[in-house]
Amino acid sequence: MELTSSITRVTVPAKQGRAVRARAGDLVRVSTPEGAQVGDLFAFVAGDPAEHLSAAHTRGHVNRLFPGVGEQFVTTRRRPVLTLVADTSPGRHDMLIPACDPARYQRLGHPGWHASCAENLATALEGLDIGTATVPQPVNLFMDIRVSPTGELEWRSSPAPAGAAVTLRAELDCVVVVSACPQDLVGINGTETGPLLIEVGAAQ
């Protein structure tokens, strides 16, 4: 499914986050230009940020741990907000791991301040004069988390090659936030963190 030529493009610099508005029916494409960069994806219903994409509700809705093409992401009110309509990556995306935050980096032994997806979310929403009291568990695009037969989690480097992209269709008017995950203490982002690209437009 392709976007029209009339689209909005927003670069998400490494270790930062950006927010875009999408109308129901719009396509939202998120790509990793340099490859192997995880993107924390959040979505908030327009006009009501208390209703947002919920990874936990989505797992129950699709009866799967990880998302697949054709499946919907639902909100805290169990309404579809985004549908994954195309994926040119190897298809490894995570719905188990929460957004990194200052406490995460403190526990990993990092001294002082470290950029985080939780802070990136707040900053991106502030740019649209939107506030939220919670940090929802995101959908972690291009993130390769495996579950062993005995239940342990395996944190692997993202297998997404340069240019890999996912395309989502907005089912509701919403605000989509993408954070180029700053995690550089656990090897999920290849050899170094990089940018992401968000494109929003109507379907052809």
Side-chain angles (χ1 to χ4, degrees):
M1 188 174 292
E2 295 296 325
L3 281 69
T4 64
S5 58
S6 178
I7 61 177
T8 299
R9 291 184 176 86
V10 176
T11 296
V12 185
K15 301 185 179 183
Q16 297 185 31
R18 294 291 186 270
V20 296
R21 296 186 185 274
R23 298 181 62 86
D26 281 352
L27 296 180
V28 180
R29 179 179 293 152
V30 181
S31 59
T32 171
E34 298 174 7
Q37 175 60 47
V38 171
D40 284 35
L41 173 77
F42 307 87
F44 298 82
V45 174
D48 184 10
E51 182 180 5
H52 53 76
L53 188 160
S54 166
H57 289 77
T58 297
R59 291 195 301 269
H61 180 71
V62 300
N63 202 33
R64 286 167 48 91
L65 289 178
F66 306 114
V69 172
E71 294 177 350
Q72 296 174 327
F73 300 103
V74 300
T75 71
T76 45
R77 297 178 187 169
R78 301 186 187 273
R79 295 198 296 165
V81 61
L82 297 171
T83 299
L84 180 57
V85 296
D87 186 357
T88 66
S89 79
R92 300 301 307 177
H93 312 290
D94 169 68
M95 292 196 297
L96 297 177
I97 304 301
C100 60
D101 53 28
R104 170 67 165 156
Y105 292 104
Q106 290 172 8
R107 290 184 177 275
L108 288 173
H110 188 273
W113 178 84
H114 191 292
S116 70
C117 289
E119 291 183 337
N120 286 347
L121 170 65
T123 300
L125 289 176
E126 286 172 2
L128 296 180
D129 294 322
I130 298 171
T132 179
T134 62
V135 178
Q137 182 185 333
V139 174
N140 297 303
L141 301 175
F142 313 123
M143 185 172 181
D144 193 3
I145 297 293
R146 306 291 178 110
V147 181
S148 76
T150 54
E152 288 85 4
L153 299 181
E154 300 175 2
W155 299 63
R156 300 188 181 186
S157 179
S158 171
V166 297
T167 303
L168 308 127
R169 182 178 64 243
E171 306 298 347
L172 300 169
D173 292 354
C174 59
V175 173
V176 175
V177 180
V178 177
S179 172
C181 184
Q183 180 60 265
D184 53 8
L185 304 181
V186 176
I188 61 170
N189 287 313
T191 58
E192 60 182 351
T193 57
L196 295 169
L197 176 65
I198 310 171
E199 299 171 280
V200 183
Q204 287 187 349

